[in-house]
Amino acid sequence: DAGVIQSPRHEVTEMGQEVTLRCKPISGHNSLFWYRQTMMRGLELLIYFNNNVPIDDSGMPEDRFSAKMPNASFSTLKIQPSEPRDSAVYFCASSFGGGYTGELFFGEGSRLTVL
Amino acid sequence: GENVEQHPSTLSVQEGDSAVIKCTYSDSASNYFPWYKQELGKGPQLIIDIRSNVGEKKDQRIAVTLNKTAKHFSLHITETQPEDSAVYFCAAGGSSASKIIFGSGTRLSIRP
């Protein structure tokens, strides 16, 4: 079975450019999470979708960040404009069922470097 | 909100010895405590979890203990092997409406 698929795996961009990260969750999972991982702040939840609806976006850093889930098999995380402090590994995770108390299946991450 | 502290940040043990990682949490309403293992270049993967209605859970060489009164829980790995080398994260969460908060991670190295 295919796991959570993220693209791109690596992205290097210049400050001010738009960045779009993509995620395909595991088929049948109805919850999707975007996390950011940095050395300083560890694993932070950015946003959580349930049945394609954003439930909790309190972790989204600021208006430069936006996330969408147009259907059950696709989600995007967009940063516009990007800044060097956005450099991090961004993980998408999916799970079955609602809420936060089930197993999270993580993708392999998208490593973003903003110069 | 919930706060999870994890210790130590790095741990080196001889192959075959045991490793223990400890976490404390602040929110007494938390009732779900998963542990994730992250290998280099990969996403975290669940290795074991425990809910507040039990005090201990074991799965082969790994076990987790929970002390709700003291608000701490621990991961125990026995008979460590080279493939146990990774970063381990504890986490805590409450009801379905309460997000999971991750600890800062422990980098475990197994010496041959």
Side-chain angles (χ1 to χ4, degrees):
Chain A
D1 286 342
V4 175
I5 299 172
Q6 292 187 245
S7 65
R9 290 296 312 278
H10 302 274
E11 173 94 4
V12 180
T13 191
E14 293 189 345
M15 182 173 62
Q17 296 298 305
E18 178 179 293
V19 173
T20 299
L21 307 178
R22 297 172 178 80
C23 175
K24 177 178 168 55
I26 292 173
S27 178
H29 283 188
N30 60 350
S31 292
L32 184 138
F33 305 79
W34 282 100
Y35 281 87
R36 178 171 68 177
Q37 185 175 38
T38 61
M39 288 295 293
M40 291 297 295
R41 301 175 68 92
L43 268 167
E44 301 174 277
L45 176 64
L46 300 178
I47 188 168
Y48 156 48
F49 291 87
N50 183 246
N51 292 324
N52 313 338
V53 176
I55 302 299
D56 181 357
D57 64 356
S58 60
M60 295 287 265
E62 49 199 270
D63 291 346
R64 297 185 298 107
F65 285 68
S66 62
K68 294 183 180 180
M69 192 164 186
N71 57 61
S73 58
F74 184 66
S75 177
T76 60
L77 177 68
K78 187 174 293 187
I79 308 172
Q80 166 64 20
S82 58
E83 296 182 3
R85 61 192 168 119
D86 301 330
S87 297
V89 180
Y90 291 81
F91 286 102
C92 176
S94 69
S95 71
F96 179 73
Y100 300 96
T101 57
E103 180 176 359
L104 297 175
F105 292 82
F106 284 84
E108 296 201 320
S110 294
R111 180 175 294 276
L112 173 65
T113 302
V114 183
L115 302 174
Chain B
E2 176 66 278
N3 182 48
V4 178
E5 296 201 355
Q6 183 171 348
H7 301 279
S9 57
T10 60
L11 179 61
S12 178
V13 300
Q14 192 76 33
E15 183 177 350
D17 288 350
S18 296
V20 180
I21 302 170
K22 299 182 179 182
C23 290
T24 59
Y25 62 98
S26 60
D27 188 352
S28 56
S30 289
N31 57 16
Y32 176 61
F33 308 93
W35 286 87
Y36 283 80
K37 175 183 180 182
Q38 185 177 24
E39 297 178 343
L40 194 62
K42 302 205 169 185
Q45 183 174 15
L46 181 73
I47 55 171
I48 194 167
D49 59 10
I50 191 169
R51 298 183 190 269
S52 59
N53 56 343
V54 296
E56 183 173 358
K57 185 175 178 180
K58 190 173 181 180
D59 183 3
Q60 299 183 343
R61 295 186 298 109
I62 60 173
V64 58
T65 58
L66 171 65
N67 184 326
K68 284 221 76 179
T69 303
K71 290 192 281 189
H72 64 70
F73 56 114
S74 301
L75 178 71
H76 304 252
I77 306 174
T78 58
E79 301 172 18
T80 53
Q81 300 171 4
E83 55 264 35
D84 295 330
S85 294
V87 179
Y88 291 81
F89 293 93
C90 63
S95 67
S96 61
S98 301
K99 66 179 68 175
I100 294 288
I101 301 297
F102 283 85
S104 54
T106 296
R107 183 174 298 279
L108 174 63
S109 300
I110 307 301
R111 302 191 305 269

